[in-house]
Structure formats: C-alpha cells, structure tokens
Amino acid sequence: MNKTAIGITITQHILSQQRQNPEATGAFTTLLSELIVAAKVISREVNKAGLVDILGGTGDVNVQNEKVQKLDLFANRVIVERMQHIGQLCCMGSEEVADLIEIPAQYPKGQYILVFDPLDGSSNIDVNVSIGTIFGIYKRTNTDPQAEVMLDEVLQPGIRQVAAGYFIYGSSTLMVYTTGGGTGVHGFTLYPSVGEFLLSHENIMIPERGKIYSVNEGNYQYWDKKTKKIVEYFKGSENSLCRPYTARYVGSLVADFHRNLLKGGIFMYPADLKDPKKPTGKLRLMVEANPLAMVVGEAGGYASDGHGPILKIKPSELHQRVPLYIGSRKDVEIAEGLISGEK
Ligand code: FBP
C-alpha cells in the first residue's frame, strides 16, 4: 500500500482490503467509515469531558441494572444516529439498550448487524482513565433483506462475525480492527490536527506467552477453588516464568485487553458469587467478549470461558454474561486446563 505524506489512512486500508475481496460491494466500507465518524465525535467529547457538564451519572440505571453515565448515553446516541441512516444495517444491539435497535422506516435497510458497547470502562470516565467503544459486525442469516429481523438472527456465535474491533479514548485515540480470515489485526492512531486515523500498528501479533496477569483480585473471596488456583498460578513462581507475572488492572476492559495484546499476558474476569443473580461473571458475550475474542484470535491469541472457545458459544440472549479468560494462547490454555482439572 502506497504510503502518502501523512502515512496510510484507515480509509485507504479498508479500501485496499475491499479490493482483495471480489464479492465486496462497498457496503462494509460504508458501514465501517460511518462508525469511525461516530468514534471521532465520541473521542472529542471524551477529551473535553472535564470541561463540560458531561461527567457523572444521569441518575438512571440501564438494562444491566448499572448506573448510567452521561457519556454512556451520549456515545450510544451518537452511534445509533450515525449508523441508522447509512442503509447497510438491518438492526443494532447496544449494551445500553434492552432490546434490539430497529432501523427507522424512513431509512433503507441492509444486510449487516452491528452490536456494540458504546462506552466500555464507564466507571473510569470521571477519573480520566482510558475508556473505549467495542464493536462486532455480523451478516444477516435471512437472505430476504425486507424480512423482519428476529432476535435469533442476531444471536449468532462470535465465529460468525465478519469484522470486530474497538476504539480506545486514552493518551491518544486508537482504533484496532480485523475482518478475520488471515487479514490480520491492525491499529490506527487518530492524528488530531488532520482528523484522520493513520496506520500505526500493522499486523499486531500477541506473544504466545505473556508476563502480565490482569484480574480484579478484590473479588477473590467470591471465587471458587479452581479460579483461586488460576490466579495463584500467575502470581506464584511455579509457573512457566518460574517467577510471578506482573499484575496490571486498569478496570477498563479495552485498556487492559489492548495492553496485553501488544505486550502479552492474560486478562481474566472469572465467574464469581458476588451477585448470585450473575454467577457467570460480569462481562457481556455479544458486545464485549466476542469482538475481542475475534481480534485476539486473529492476532494468534485465544479467548475462553474457562471451558472452551468464546467464539463457539451460541448466545441465548442479547445481554448474556460469560466468564472471560483472554490473551496469550499458552496463558489462557493454562487457565482453561486448571478449570477443567486437566492441569
Ligand atoms: P462497562 O463499563 O461497559 O459496563 O464494562 C464493564 C467494565 O467496566 C469493564 O470495562 C471492566 O473490565 C470491568 O467492568 C471492571 O469491573 P470491576 O470494576 O468489577 O473490576
């Protein structure tokens, strides 16, 4: 790909990927390009969050029974408003909205399904810690574009995603995405004065084994024996490193995941008994685990619920939660082995 005076832009990159796919119609390019516009708007708002009345909560709780932050709502609204009119989607699913988001009748519909977490790490918004947007894209299973979208069409296993990725709003704004199938995982950094995402991390591959473990040990007492054994494995010396892994935990999934993607390591949000109503952990399968599982898989890593691949789970509901072990393949396989008792 020809490098221009400012480097390789995300649009250039998406178009070059499109040219490699003979069936491509440009629909996917339009979809991704509009999502990027939404992320730029969110990034601008996040960057000035401390200056305007956008910090703090709305006083409402969302479908997850969690406090809604003002920026959550803003991000959700921006994505829905940007994406609903492009004519490439048949519906959307958001962490912030209980049911499927339909495409208003006045707009044309398309063959893609977008699921997203508009602002991940919302508990970190007020304290200026990196937060992000996570997304996964599927194709409809029903070939009749006019047919009404049924929830079951959206509840596809993560392996069916045609693309996935995330934006991080941190020291700089970054986009990382993949279209799978060996096309690789690529990172782009927003160049503020140009307002364009430029290729900064090409073909990201995660180290096979890491030196970092990320988990909220504050939940230790709510874990079962096997889960405690996993964390003790990484923080002890009887492991592949013969010394403790380094503990790092930001509390924003995108930030913890991204660090480990570049440096190697394992992020864990195990099942816990903290909230008997949520025995399967905190993180959402469709809008958090699946997109990151596609990214890490394409980068040579692995994502498991402790018993098997996240990407193979058939979702039973839109806001289903799963235990998540994700990152360097050998580290996640260790965790899986300790849970299944093979280790
Ligand atoms: P949301 O902010 O999108 O609800 O995401 C959940 C999350 O904030 C993740 O980003 C993070 O990994 C996790 O929850 C932190 O949970 P805890 O505070 O229990 O460690």
Side-chain angles (χ1 to χ4, degrees):
M1 217 177 313
N2 297 341
K3 217 173 177 156
T4 66
I6 56 167
I8 295 170
T9 67
I10 177 83
T11 314
Q12 230 182 313
H13 193 267
I14 297 170
L15 287 172
S16 75
Q17 297 234 335
Q18 180 187 308
R19 280 191 286 275
Q20 286 158 32
N21 173 359
E23 282 145 47
T25 62
F28 176 74
T29 303
T30 309
L31 195 165
L32 214 51
S33 306
E34 202 61 20
L35 190 60
I36 290 164
V37 173
K40 288 178 184 173
V41 174
I42 297 168
S43 169
R44 182 204 61 197
E45 215 57 38
V46 168
N47 290 343
K48 65 177 182 167
L51 304 170
V52 292
D53 176 28
I54 203 154
L55 289 180
T58 62
D60 303 335
V61 293
N62 66 14
V63 62
Q64 332 278 352
N65 204 20
E66 289 156 344
K67 287 203 193 73
V68 177
Q69 303 290 324
K70 290 177 188 164
L71 258 176
D72 285 351
L73 276 190
F74 174 84
N76 190 65
R77 199 180 74 233
V78 168
I79 295 172
V80 171
E81 284 173 2
R82 297 268 18 125
M83 302 309 290
Q84 66 186 0
H85 71 92
I86 59 172
Q88 305 306 341
L89 292 174
C90 61
C91 72
M92 294 180 254
S94 165
E95 184 201 271
E96 290 303 326
V97 182
D99 303 315
L100 286 182
I101 302 167
E102 293 177 9
I103 304 300
Q106 71 264 37
Y107 298 125
K109 293 181 180 55
Q111 56 176 322
Y112 290 102
I113 296 165
L114 172 69
V115 294
F116 60 95
D117 178 353
L119 212 56
D120 176 68
S122 46
S123 58
N124 278 325
I125 292 172
D126 296 2
V127 290
N128 211 356
V129 169
S130 299
I131 50 182
T133 297
I134 307 174
F135 66 91
I137 299 170
Y138 297 81
K139 269 199 172 162
R140 291 197 69 164
T141 49
N142 186 327
T143 50
D144 169 7
Q146 295 319 317
E148 193 200 342
V149 185
M150 308 313 284
L151 181 59
D152 202 48
E153 232 186 310
V154 175
L155 299 180
Q156 301 180 42
I159 201 91
R160 301 284 309 268
Q161 290 172 113
V162 292
Y166 53 90
F167 298 88
I168 297 189
Y169 314 112
S171 48
S172 57
T173 292
L174 212 80
M175 174 187 182
V176 172
Y177 90 107
T178 185
T179 51
T183 58
V185 173
H186 310 282
F188 300 78
T189 302
L190 184 60
Y191 190 171
S193 55
V194 176
E196 195 41 275
F197 280 97
L198 302 180
L199 184 61
S200 52
H201 302 74
E202 192 164 17
N203 283 322
I204 300 171
M205 291 302 287
I206 187 169
E208 201 177 37
R209 190 188 298 282
K211 298 184 175 78
I212 294 170
Y213 76 101
S214 319
V215 67
N216 181 349
E217 293 196 58
N219 295 334
Y220 188 84
Q221 63 173 306
Y222 302 113
W223 293 334
D224 63 18
K225 272 211 191 75
K226 287 182 177 174
T227 306
K228 287 177 177 168
K229 212 170 158 197
I230 296 171
V231 175
E232 276 144 22
Y233 170 90
F234 290 110
K235 60 193 286 183
S237 298
E238 281 155 37
N239 58 35
S240 53
L241 291 182
C242 302
R243 63 168 178 74
Y245 280 50
T246 298
R248 290 281 182 278
Y249 191 74
V250 174
S252 285
L253 172 61
V254 268
D256 282 310
F257 173 82
H258 185 69
R259 180 203 50 246
N260 294 356
L261 182 71
L262 298 184
K263 295 192 169 188
I266 181 170
F267 171 91
M268 304 174 266
Y269 207 107
D272 60 44
L273 302 166
K274 190 160 68 177
D275 179 345
K277 284 204 300 311
K278 299 179 198 167
T280 54
K282 178 177 184 179
L283 302 178
R284 274 63 61 159
L285 173 61
M286 297 225 43
V287 296
E288 290 171 321
N290 269 335
L292 300 183
M294 182 181 186
V295 171
V296 86
E298 186 71 15
Y302 178 45
S304 167
D305 66 349
H307 301 284
I310 287 280
L311 291 174
K312 294 233 172 100
I313 299 173
K314 167 75 177 84
S316 55
E317 54 181 280
L318 191 56
H319 299 285
Q320 177 178 347
R321 298 167 188 268
V322 282
L324 182 61
Y325 299 85
I326 189 166
S328 295
R329 174 165 292 283
K330 294 223 183 267
D331 295 329
V332 177
E333 286 169 351
I334 294 273
E336 216 176 50
L338 286 167
I339 287 206
S340 58
E342 281 156 27
K343 295 269 183 220

